[in-house]
Amino acid sequence: MIPARRVYIETYGCQMNVADSELMFGLLGREGYVRTEQPAEADVLLVNTCAVRDNAEQRVIGRVGELQRHKRAGGVLGVVGCMAQRLGPKLLEQVPRVDLVVGPDGYRNLAQLIDIAASGQRVADTEFRAWEHYEDVPPVREKGPTAFITVQRGCDYRCTFCIVPQTRGPERSRRLADVVGEVERLAGQGTSEVTLLGQTVNSYHDGEHDFADLLSAVGRVNGVRRVRFTSPYPTDFTPRVVEAMAITDAVCEHVHLPVQSGSNVVLRRMLRRYTRQRYLEVVAALRAAIPGITFSTDIIVGFPGETEAQFEETLSLVAEADFDDAYTFKYSLRDGTPAVRLPGHVADEVGSERLARLIDTVRRNARRKSLARVGEMHEVLVERRAKRGELMLARTRTNHLVLVDLPAQTVGEYHRVRLTGTTGSTFIGTVVTPALAVL
Ligand code: 5AD
């Protein structure tokens, strides 16, 4: 018998890439591949990549250089995902040791393409297949209490900074019944928290059902205790969706809601479809409907033409929206995006300086909010052992991380904890027994 070929996949970028890697393990598993965590043992090495910022791509180039040491005779080193899609065959020219380049719509052919590459012919597949949602491919996940579920692929929005429409193609939603089926299978195996994924996930529509229907249907699945989703688009929070969130108990009290900028002028140049005021209205509507809800966001500084005064509007928005957390980025010019044609390049040092000020503002706001939370009681889901020490890492419904002194076998359990301290972002908590909780 020929020994099974071993595949190693290293994943960069967003949660959808994590889900896509699970899909690739599913696809390759059907072809007899087995997974390995050790690049030195692998016959096939794949790097699943991100293209949203230049530094993400540079990191991958560096990593591919390191991984090529592990490539054995007849082995294959491939770059897949968004960077593969963006650069296509050019990547084969630029990086001589790469044998295989496959974009997010090409994974169905992965095994075949690997065979071609293994025979010595370097290949690229970056065709868009607007129908492809890999419905028939069961992803291979690490068994655990939480799971990512892709419900929508691609993007029809045209934010001028963003490369994703060029790397992931047009928007398409999976059928509600198919998503629910997958959630039921996961719940049957003990997964109680699901995160629904899409580029603009709340614009989900399968032709018959919208995102409100999807939330209610997933929230009704037996065994599902928590539903999260990422990332929504501000103006796709229709009253129906807000209502569904409010009445579906499983939907968690946290929304990651990318704002990108606090300046209307910048938002318009980014082709975001809302103003600062409209964004704040959406936040207020969600706060009114869902008590205790928390918000995180994505923010870009140094977008072409951004003035100091416009940047300061972003700083003031952080305070006004009162975010619990924010992912902050310095604008990175991406070839192929509309923003390359915009005038008003912001010097790198100016961008770095704004980023530092923004991070400081975000941290101070988060710290103030975290300190005020000490003493609160929360339900947490124990996810895994913390990196250091003996404590377990658990998460509140509001998406705060809590270190708790519990035994390792509590992974997957729900406990009530009192928050007793904070580093400013993470919390320390003590388990409160139900009897004590009554007192
Ligand atoms: N430069 C910097 N940040 C970007 N993002 C997307 N494109 C760019 C870019 N060209 C950020 C946005 C998005 C997040 C995933 O990455 O904030 O929400």
Side-chain angles (χ1 to χ4, degrees), residues 52-53 161-163 258 260 298-300 329-334:
V52 286
R53 284 173 295 277
F161 52 81
C162 189
I163 194 70
Q260 314 298 0
D298 288 344
I299 299 172
I300 298 174
F329 310 104
K330 186 161 65 170
Y331 172 68
S332 170
L333 188 143
R334 310 277 59 214

Side-chain angles (χ1 to χ4, degrees), residues 367-380:
R367 191 177 161 73
R368 179 183 50 75
K369 289 180 77 81
S370 295
L371 285 169
R373 282 185 190 282
V374 172
E376 283 181 7
M377 301 265 283
H378 281 265
E379 178 200 88
V380 293

Side-chain angles (χ1 to χ4, degrees), residues 14-16 18-19 22 141 145-152 174 179 182-183 186 191-198 201 211 214-215 218 224-232 250-252 254-256 381 383 395 397 399:
C14 63
Q15 289 99 325
M16 193 165 291
V18 175
E22 295 169 343
R141 302 182 166 94
T146 65
F148 292 134
I149 299 180
T150 304
V151 301
Q152 175 201 55
R174 290 173 63 192
V179 175
E182 186 174 1
V183 174
L186 280 166
T191 297
S192 63
E193 176 183 303
V194 293
T195 302
L196 310 178
L197 302 179
V201 69
F211 192 61
L214 186 69
L215 284 179
V218 169
V224 168
R225 185 141 157 185
R226 290 183 170 186
V227 178
R228 303 181 186 277
F229 53 86
T230 197
S231 284
V251 173
C252 287
H254 168 253
V255 172
H256 179 70
L381 166 59
E383 290 188 355
R395 196 182 294 270
R397 290 174 58 93
N399 208 38

Side-chain angles (χ1 to χ4, degrees), residues 9 59 118 120 135 139 165 187 224 258 292 300 312 324 341 383 424:
I9 306 183
R59 242 177 99 203
E135 193 53 67
V224 168
I300 298 174
E312 283 169 16
D324 283 74
R341 291 190 298 272
E383 290 188 355

